[in-house]
Amino acid sequence: MSGPIVIGSERSEAGLPAAMEILARGGSALDAVEAGLRRCEDNVDDHYVGTGGLPNAQGVVELDASLMIGSTRAFGAVGAVKGFPNPISIARAVLERLPQHSLLVGAGAELFAEENGFERAELLTDESKKLFHSALAPSIESVEGERTGAQKGDALYRRTALELVNHFAPHDGPWGTINILALDSSGELVVGVSTSGYPWKYPGRVGDSALPGTGNYADVRHGGAACTGRGELSMRAVGARAIVADLARGLEPTEACLAMLADAATLPDEFRAELRCLALTPDGRHGAAAGQPGSVYAVMTETSTQPEFRPRSVL
């Protein structure tokens, strides 16, 4: 084993130092992933997670998050949560305090959050409200991605999203899902995901980030994986689980990530947009892949003074 390590998707650098601080002092991967993602959720300049996330077609921010523990494959998640800024912590509470269930959504997840003492907050910031009103115009950037180039599916999604926005009459008034994967000094492996999901989505839409095997998966025997981008494609390809299955068959992390993207690329999808993934093994090997050049992921070890960025391999 290589020692504690944490990796993350684009913009996870807002949280990785907090995660590594916990790992470096012998803390758990679960604590590290939660702490790292909370920092990302609290970053109001990031409009795809937590406070300041872009809203649904009604102008309401809905959040998804999940955690999976590699040694037990225990899973906790919430979906379509409104009014609570740190869904990753609510997901952990589901995992630990409600073991008879793995996923809570909507009003039930919000009731559970209230019962467990989580504080409500306004998630729609002035900046995200402005983006809500302005960002549906034609653009060369993807809808759900780290400023990657738009594809035909992005343009179609914008047109249909604008129809939803007009239908629901919304109130007046850095980008993409975040993954963090951590390996601690005891050998535990944990994967976490947090997102506000596709902007301008149909209310109640839950993406791959809240679903085991799609947005994330962890099995300490073989490794962990997580996905960002076009969640509906990851759900259909069972993306994260497919990557871990290939790790179990002996593929290197980058090879397993590329294999999943190649499989997802065969699926018909008129809303096709960028899909990315990354993986971490129990001995500290890691890799990532994307469909377009220019995408990176971040890495920290015990000797890191700050997150180090590595290029993702391109399908």
Side-chain angles (χ1 to χ4, degrees), residues 125-176:
T125 63
D126 289 341
E127 178 66 18
S128 59
K129 190 182 296 185
K130 288 177 184 177
L131 287 169
F132 173 67
H133 284 288
S134 66
L136 281 173
S139 174
I140 62 171
E141 293 182 348
S142 65
V143 171
E144 213 289 13
E146 284 77 18
R147 300 197 181 281
T148 53
Q151 300 179 42
K152 289 182 179 179
D154 288 296
L156 180 59
Y157 184 86
R158 278 189 168 88
R159 290 198 300 273
T160 56
L162 184 57
E163 292 172 3
L164 279 176
V165 168
N166 291 333
H167 173 69
F168 284 114
H171 336 141
D172 201 8
W175 303 72

Side-chain angles (χ1 to χ4, degrees), residues 18-209:
M20 180 45 67
E21 182 182 358
I22 291 171
L23 295 174
R25 63 172 187 258
S28 73
L30 183 58
D31 286 345
V33 168
E34 181 190 11
L37 282 171
R38 280 184 68 100
R39 298 299 194 285
C40 297
E41 292 169 345
D42 292 339
N43 178 13
V44 295
D45 292 327
D46 192 318
H47 295 297
Y48 267 82
V49 294
T51 303
L54 291 179
N56 65 20
Q58 288 181 310
V60 178
V61 179
E62 291 182 318
L63 305 176
D64 303 342
S66 66
L67 286 159
M68 191 167 191
I69 300 175
S71 60
T72 61
R73 282 175 276 176
F75 183 80
V78 291
V81 171
K82 299 186 279 291
F84 290 92
N86 295 116
I88 194 64
S89 293
I90 307 173
R92 179 173 181 174
V94 171
L95 187 154
E96 295 180 328
R97 305 177 197 173
L98 201 69
Q100 66 270 39
H101 298 311
S102 291
L103 169 64
L104 296 178
V105 300
E110 293 154 22
L111 174 63
F112 176 77
E114 285 184 344
E115 289 179 340
N116 283 273
F118 291 97
E119 293 187 6
R120 286 189 173 272
E122 175 56 60
L123 303 181
L124 187 67
T125 63
D126 289 341
E127 178 66 18
S128 59
K129 190 182 296 185
K130 288 177 184 177
L131 287 169
F132 173 67
H133 284 288
S134 66
L136 281 173
S139 174
I140 62 171
E141 293 182 348
S142 65
V143 171
E144 213 289 13
E146 284 77 18
R147 300 197 181 281
T148 53
Q151 300 179 42
K152 289 182 179 179
D154 288 296
L156 180 59
Y157 184 86
R158 278 189 168 88
R159 290 198 300 273
T160 56
L162 184 57
E163 292 172 3
L164 279 176
V165 168
N166 291 333
H167 173 69
F168 284 114
H171 336 141
D172 201 8
W175 303 72
T177 298
I178 295 182
N179 312 140
I180 293 182
L181 294 72
L183 181 69
D184 65 29
S185 57
S186 75
E188 183 63 271
L189 176 65
V190 174
V191 180
V193 184
S194 186
T195 188
S196 57
Y198 259 108
W200 324 298
K201 61 193 174 186
Y202 196 95
R205 179 263 188 185
V206 174
D208 64 322
S209 297

